[in-house]
Amino acid sequence: MGAAVATHWAARARRFEVNAATREPAWVKGSLITIALAFFGLFLLLPLVTVFAEAFRKGWQVYFAALVEPDALSAIALTLLVAAIAVPLNLVFGIAAAWAIAKFDFRGKQLLTTLIDLPFSVSPVIAGLIFVLLFGAQGWFGPWLIEHDVKIIFAVPGLVLATIFVTFPFVARELIPLMEAQGREEEEAAIVLGASGWQTFWRVTLPSIKWGLLYGVILCNARAMGEFGAVSVVSGHIRGRTNTLPLQVEILYNEYNFAAAFAVASLLALLALLTLVVKSLVEWRGRQPLNVGQESQGVSA
Amino acid sequence: MRAGKPHRVLPGFPLALGYTLVYLALIVLIPLSAVFLKSASLNWEQFWAVISAPRVLASYRVSFGLSLLAAAINAVFGLIFAWVLVRYHFPGKRIVDALVDLPFALPTAGAGIALTAIYAGNGWLGQWLEPLGLKVAFTPLGILVALIFIGLPFVVRTVQPVLEDLDTELEEAAASLGADRWQTFRHVLLPVLLPALLTGFALAFARAVGEYGSVIFIAGNVPLVSEITPLLIITKLEQYDYIGATAIAVVMLIVSFILLFLINGLQFWANRSRARS
C-alpha cells in the first residue's frame, strides 16, 4: 500500500508540474520549496529535535532515572487516570451528538454545532477558571463542598473536569462531517429490514466510521494527556498528588532541572509522534483527507 | 405519528439529542455562564477599573498585537507551505506533510521549554542571535516565535484542501489569455484562496490570543512588557483576586465569541465560493 500511496502523491503534484499553464520557472519552484522547508525546519522540526536532544544530553542513565523517579511515576499514573476518565466520556458524547446532528433534521442544528465547538475558542486558562468559580473555596458550591468534605479544586476531580472541557469537541467534530457525508440510507435500510437500533449502529454505522472515530479518540487523548493551561489553574501543583505530566515538566523546569524536565517532555513528544503516525495511517486507509487537526476546520458552515 | 412531525425511520433521536444537550449544558454552558454571573457582582465602574488598569492594557497590547502579527506571518508562510505541499514533489514530502500537525499534537509545555532552550542566550540559535543584538527568549519576540509555532497548521490545513480541489482549467484559461504566472496567481488564484486564507488567519489568531503553555516559558513575563493576558488571569487567581481574574476573563471571552462568529461567517463564505468555483 505504501508504494501505491507514494505514486498517488507524486502523481497529484505532477499534474501541475507537467502542465505549462500551471508550472512555475525552476528558480521560483526552488525558492518556494527552500522557504517552506526552512520555515518547517526552524519552527517545527527544531523544537521537536530539541526535546529529545536535551532529554538525552546527560546520557541514558540520567534520562531513565528522571522517568522512574516517584514524582514522575505518579505524574504518569495521574495523567493516564485523567485521560482514562475524560476520553471515554467525550467519546460517548461525540457519538450521541454526531448521531443526533448527522442523522436527523431539527431546528437549531447549526447553533448546536457551534456550541459544541465553543471550548476550542475559550482560552485554556479560562477553562480552568470557570471550575474554580464553581467549585473553589469561594465558588458557588464551595461552602457546600467544604461542609461535606468533598475536594474538587486542587484535587483529581478538578483536573478531570478541566480536561473534559478542553477536549470536549474532538470526537464530535471528527464524526459529524463524516456521518453527514455518509447519509442515512444504509441505516434506514437496516431498520426497514428489521434490525434494532443498536444492531444498526454496531453493524452498519460503526464499521463505516471506525477510522474517523479512532482518529478523533487519538487526538482527544493527546490533548487530554498534554493539556497544560487548564489543569494548571485547578491543580494546585501538589507534588506526587495533583501533578500531571505537563505540570511535572513545568515544576522540573522551574527548578532548573532541565535534563529531567526534557526527559518527561520527551514522553509527551513521543505521544505526539504516535498521534501523527496514527493520523497518517487513518488517512491512507480512508484515502480521502481527514479533518486534519479538526480545530483547523473550526466550525462547519 | 402526529401531523406536522417529520417521520423518522431511524431510532434514538430523543436519547441522542437529550444526552447531547444535558452534557453540553453541564460541561460547557453552565460553567461558562459562571464567569458572566460572577462578574455581575461588580458594578460598571469597578469592572472598567479592573479591565483598563495599565498593566492589563499592556497585556492586551502584548496578547492581541503579537497574535495578529503571528497570524499575519503564518498567513504568508502558511500559504507558501500549502502551495509547496500541493504543487511540487520533493523527497520527504510525506513526512513534512504529516509533521505540519505537530503543534496540534505536541503538548504546549513541551513546545514551550523546547523553544526556550533553542532561543535562550546559551541555546542552539540564541548563542548566534544574541551577539547580533537580537534577544529572542524572555522578550516579546520570543512570544511571537511561540505564537507562530502554534498557529502555523491552522493556515496550512485550511488553504491546502482548497488548493487541492482547484481545477487547472482556471490557470490554463489565464495562461492562454497571456497572463504570466504572477498575474495568474495575483488575479485568478489569490481571490479563490482568499476566503480560506482569511479563515486560517482568524483561526490562528483566535488560538494565539488564548494560548498559555507554549508562551509562558519563553515570554519572560515582565509586567507591562512581555506579560500575556491569560497569565494575568492566573496571577490574579494566585492572589485570590477572583473578581479581578473574572473581569479580565469576560473581556477575553467576548473577544473569543466575536472571533468565533467571524470565523463562522468566513467559513460560510469560503464554502460558498468553493462550491461556485
Side-chain angles (χ1 to χ4, degrees):
Chain A
M1 186 185 74
V5 171
T7 34
H8 169 70
W9 268 70
R12 247 181 6 187
R14 200 159 298 134
R15 189 181 77 179
F16 298 105
E17 292 187 55
V18 294
N19 189 337
T22 56
R23 188 173 53 194
E24 287 79 38
W27 68 270
V28 174
K29 176 182 165 181
S31 344
L32 288 178
I33 292 181
T34 310
I35 293 171
L37 289 183
F39 203 74
F40 170 79
L42 189 62
F43 284 101
L44 296 178
L45 203 54
L46 191 55
L48 181 66
V49 173
T50 302
V51 171
F52 291 104
E54 292 285 326
F56 288 111
R57 179 177 266 203
K58 290 188 179 155
W60 287 91
Q61 276 105 342
V62 176
Y63 179 80
F64 284 113
L67 295 184
V68 297
E69 193 245 349
D71 283 348
L73 286 179
S74 82
I76 293 173
L78 182 59
T79 302
L80 292 174
L81 173 70
V82 169
I85 301 170
V87 175
L89 283 173
N90 282 338
L91 169 65
V92 172
F93 161 73
I95 291 173
W99 183 261
I101 290 172
K103 303 292 177 190
F104 300 94
D105 295 309
F106 56 95
R107 260 205 287 178
K109 194 189 219 178
Q110 189 58 51
L111 178 67
L112 181 61
T113 318
T114 308
L115 288 177
I116 289 173
D117 275 333
L118 208 53
F120 276 159
S121 54
V122 172
S123 173
V125 169
I126 297 177
L129 170 73
I130 58 180
F131 292 106
V132 173
L133 293 180
L134 284 178
F135 303 115
Q138 299 179 33
W140 285 359
F141 303 108
W144 188 89
L145 291 170
I146 292 168
E147 215 170 273
H148 293 80
D149 202 27
V150 181
K151 263 186 92 74
I152 292 183
I153 299 304
F154 305 148
V156 177
L159 296 173
V160 172
L161 279 172
T163 304
I164 292 176
F165 182 93
V166 293
T167 59
F168 182 86
F170 278 98
V171 179
R173 274 246 49 87
E174 193 57 45
L175 289 185
I176 290 168
L178 198 63
M179 281 168 68
E180 270 176 346
Q182 272 156 0
R184 304 164 193 182
E185 286 82 7
E186 288 181 24
E187 281 93 349
E188 283 170 355
I191 296 290
V192 169
L193 290 172
S196 75
W198 281 116
Q199 283 173 325
T200 307
F201 177 75
W202 283 107
R203 306 228 179 118
V204 179
T205 310
L206 199 59
S208 60
I209 60 167
K210 61 182 181 218
W211 294 108
L213 185 68
L214 174 68
Y215 180 49
V217 167
I218 277 283
L219 215 57
C220 182
N221 179 64
R223 181 71 191 267
M225 290 189 173
E227 176 52 30
F228 177 71
V231 294
S232 169
V233 173
V234 296
S235 132
H237 306 275
I238 308 164
R239 284 189 95 127
R241 299 250 321 268
T242 62
N243 261 343
T244 60
L245 279 174
L247 298 175
Q248 183 71 11
V249 170
E250 184 194 21
I251 287 190
L252 291 168
Y253 191 84
N254 288 342
E255 288 171 348
Y256 301 103
N257 193 349
F258 295 138
F262 278 102
V264 175
S266 76
L267 290 181
L268 296 172
L270 279 177
L271 174 73
L273 288 178
L274 186 71
T275 305
L276 295 183
V277 167
V278 171
K279 186 212 85 177
S280 300
L281 288 177
V282 169
E283 266 186 355
W284 294 342
R285 279 221 92 104
R287 258 306 145 88
Q288 108 222 47
L290 272 169
N291 269 354
V292 187
Q294 1 180 300
E295 283 168 284
S296 72
Q297 301 294 315
V299 189
S300 68
Chain B
M1 193 178 68
R2 271 176 288 143
K5 199 178 161 193
H7 178 64
R8 294 186 179 113
V9 178
L10 297 179
F13 179 65
L15 178 68
L17 186 66
Y19 182 77
T20 301
L21 291 177
V22 169
Y23 192 74
L24 177 73
L26 283 179
I27 299 291
V28 179
L29 299 181
I30 294 172
L32 268 182
S33 67
V35 174
F36 292 95
L37 287 169
K38 180 86 177 177
S39 70
S41 61
L42 286 170
N43 66 35
W44 178 248
E45 280 86 49
Q46 292 167 314
F47 180 75
W48 184 253
V50 173
I51 65 166
S52 66
R55 191 169 163 189
V56 182
L57 285 180
S59 85
Y60 301 148
R61 269 197 297 278
V62 173
S63 274
F64 293 108
L66 291 174
S67 297
L68 265 180
L69 191 56
I73 292 171
N74 275 329
V76 174
F77 286 94
L79 176 61
I80 295 176
F81 214 111
W83 181 272
V84 166
L85 284 178
V86 173
R87 294 286 172 125
Y88 305 138
H89 186 66
F90 54 91
K93 183 165 114 170
R94 273 162 61 194
I95 294 169
V96 171
D97 187 68
L99 278 177
V100 167
D101 288 320
L102 182 71
F104 287 147
L106 185 66
T108 51
I113 63 168
L115 290 170
T116 313
I118 294 168
Y119 291 100
N122 57 357
W124 289 9
L125 288 178
Q127 58 178 324
W128 306 106
L129 294 174
E130 272 192 15
L132 302 173
L134 201 60
K135 258 182 82 74
V136 179
F138 317 124
T139 71
L141 201 56
I143 303 179
L144 183 68
V145 169
L147 295 181
I148 292 174
F149 170 80
I150 56 137
L152 180 67
F154 289 94
V155 177
V156 178
R157 294 310 192 202
T158 36
V159 174
Q160 198 179 8
V162 181
L163 257 178
E164 239 153 41
D165 279 358
L166 219 59
D167 239 335
T168 52
E169 283 166 22
L170 271 179
E171 290 161 73
E172 282 160 3
S176 72
L177 292 172
D180 63 34
R181 280 307 281 158
W182 173 248
Q183 287 172 323
T184 307
F185 175 76
R186 174 70 192 74
H187 298 287
V188 178
L189 293 178
L190 199 56
V192 180
L193 295 176
L194 194 63
L197 194 58
L198 281 176
T199 308
F201 171 84
L203 285 166
F205 177 67
R207 170 70 197 264
V209 164
E211 179 58 20
Y212 176 71
S214 59
V215 173
I216 50 148
F217 294 101
I218 201 171
N221 307 322
V222 182
L224 301 170
V225 178
S226 61
E227 195 173 49
I228 55 168
T229 311
L231 177 67
L232 213 52
I233 295 177
I234 290 202
T235 311
K236 296 228 180 243
L237 270 180
E238 279 168 356
Q239 296 160 348
Y240 300 101
D241 180 7
Y242 285 32
I243 302 256
T246 308
I248 301 172
V250 165
V251 174
M252 289 203 72
L253 275 180
I254 290 173
V255 172
S256 302
F257 293 161
I258 293 171
L259 280 171
L260 185 67
F261 185 72
L262 264 175
I263 290 166
N264 254 322
L266 276 171
Q267 274 177 336
F268 182 70
W269 180 35
N271 286 353
R272 217 182 38 181
S273 60
R274 210 173 147 184
R276 250 199 328 236
S277 69

